[in-house]
Amino acid sequence: MPNSQLSPEQLPQHIAIIMDGNGRWAKARGKPRVFGHKNGVSAVRKTISSSAKLGIKAVTLFAFSSENWRRPEDEVGILMELFISVLSTEVKKLHKNNLRLRIIGDTSRFSRRLQEKIAHAEEMTASNTGMVINIAANYGGKWDITQAAKRVAEDVKRGQIAPEDIEESTIAQYLTMSDLPEVDLLIRTSGECRISNFMLWQMAYAEMYFTPIFWPEFDEASLIEAVTWYVNRERRFGCTGEQIKALMED
Ligand code: IPE
Ligand code: IPE
Ligand code: MG
């Protein structure tokens, strides 16, 4: 039986996704960019439920980069409103499903209202034991390494560690998501093949999967396709999407 060859351990433990192409998806339909962002939310929902069904340990979604502040003010404003409303409507559902939600990034630049929503969502789901969902918001890979370096420097100043004793693991413990395995699989939609300052350190060994479809079109079948690709790259045998699907719990 080919199924017996595939076990859950062969799946990626940590999947990171650059959710790109909302604007182009909307434009192709003659709609404003915000229409794409709104439709991107249902792709987020599908991705979360499919990943949880597969038993993935952690999913990190790039929602807003530290560079995205450069977008027109009204688009940034609409994205912020969208975060607030999605956090309000979705968190209870995530909690009910035992999922843990965390927002990763420099949240200090967000409005007080959004910061409150974030704190509430994180608190509510903090002790859940299921999949971890990290939403990267005002996140940048360079920012992450910089904030870790600052904290190491503070330890040096306090005499807790000597500069010559700084190792990779010293930096790693101060990076965001230090409690999770590093990223196994990066997915980027919309055909762009770049990292756009997403996680840098944590993706040092990630397999990178680029698909031309736009983010609002991403669904369970797309995730299965990406995971199938990953398993076949890592294990070098011909696993099928059907086998991946068979690992999903109903
Ligand atoms: C990704 O879609 C969503 C965010 C960055 C918030 P884009 O808004 O980048 O869509 P394109 O790349 O312009 O099509
Ligand atoms: C990366 O997408 C950031 C997010 C998906 C949130 P962008 O569309 O902002 O990236 P660039 O600017 O095209 O590299
Ligand atoms: Mg884009």
Side-chain angles (χ1 to χ4, degrees):
M1 291 284 284
N3 271 355
S4 59
Q5 291 180 18
L6 191 64
S7 69
E9 295 82 70
Q10 289 168 305
L11 298 180
Q13 290 199 69
H14 187 172
I15 301 179
I17 307 184
I18 303 178
M19 311 184 286
D20 198 12
N22 293 350
R24 279 164 284 167
W25 181 85
K27 197 175 167 208
R29 282 154 186 78
K31 303 272 200 220
R33 295 176 56 83
V34 36
F35 181 71
H37 297 318
K38 286 186 177 151
N39 277 274
V41 175
S42 61
V44 171
R45 263 188 224 110
K46 288 176 197 165
T47 302
I48 290 173
S49 75
S50 313
S51 307
K53 277 203 278 177
L54 266 178
I56 304 296
K57 196 177 162 77
V59 170
T60 303
L61 305 170
F62 206 5
F64 193 85
S65 76
S66 40
E67 289 71 34
N68 285 150
W69 296 106
R70 296 182 197 141
R71 293 193 178 197
E73 210 177 308
D74 56 340
E75 183 174 343
V76 171
I78 285 167
L79 280 168
M80 294 300 149
E81 282 306 315
L82 198 59
F83 290 151
I84 292 176
S85 77
V86 170
L87 278 175
S88 311
T89 58
E90 303 292 316
V91 173
K92 272 194 213 133
K93 235 185 321 178
L94 299 177
H95 182 48
K96 226 168 56 200
N97 288 304
N98 192 31
L99 303 173
R100 182 160 176 208
L101 183 71
R102 302 192 304 197
I103 310 301
I104 305 294
D106 181 6
T107 51
S108 65
R109 196 167 161 186
F110 293 145
S111 70
R112 175 167 294 242
R113 198 163 137 240
L114 183 48
Q115 289 189 44
E116 281 167 6
K117 290 272 175 206
I118 289 171
H120 174 73
E122 290 185 333
E123 267 164 42
M124 184 187 243
T125 63
S127 52
N128 290 345
T129 54
M131 187 175 79
V132 177
I133 304 155
N134 300 304
I135 305 292
N138 196 19
Y139 179 87
K142 291 183 181 176
W143 165 82
D144 200 351
I145 295 171
T146 305
Q147 64 82 26
K150 270 189 201 152
R151 291 161 73 185
V152 173
E154 276 160 18
D155 285 353
V156 171
K157 199 163 108 186
R158 277 197 297 263
Q160 286 172 352
I161 188 169
E164 58 273 23
D165 293 334
I166 295 172
E167 295 180 352
E168 288 182 7
S169 61
T170 321
I171 311 273
Q173 73 181 351
Y174 284 126
L175 289 169
T176 63
M177 298 169 273
S178 59
D179 56 331
L180 295 174
E182 290 191 355
V183 176
D184 302 301
L185 170 62
L186 168 78
I187 299 172
R188 183 170 188 152
T189 56
S190 89
E192 308 298 346
C193 301
R194 57 179 176 272
I195 298 180
S196 298
N197 196 20
F198 197 20
M199 283 177 272
L200 298 172
W201 185 292
Q202 300 92 331
M203 284 196 337
Y205 268 93
E207 295 282 353
M208 301 202 182
Y209 178 84
F210 300 101
T211 168
I213 68 170
F214 293 134
W215 178 249
E217 302 168 310
F218 196 87
D219 60 10
E220 181 165 293
S222 323
L223 184 80
I224 290 176
E225 205 176 298
V227 171
T228 307
W229 175 88
Y230 169 86
V231 171
N232 285 330
R233 277 201 72 75
E234 283 290 292
R235 307 294 161 190
R236 302 188 197 289
F237 70 79
C239 129
T240 66
E242 289 308 310
Q243 284 174 286
I244 301 291
K245 217 170 169 183
L247 292 176
M248 287 188 152
E249 301 158 18
D250 289 319

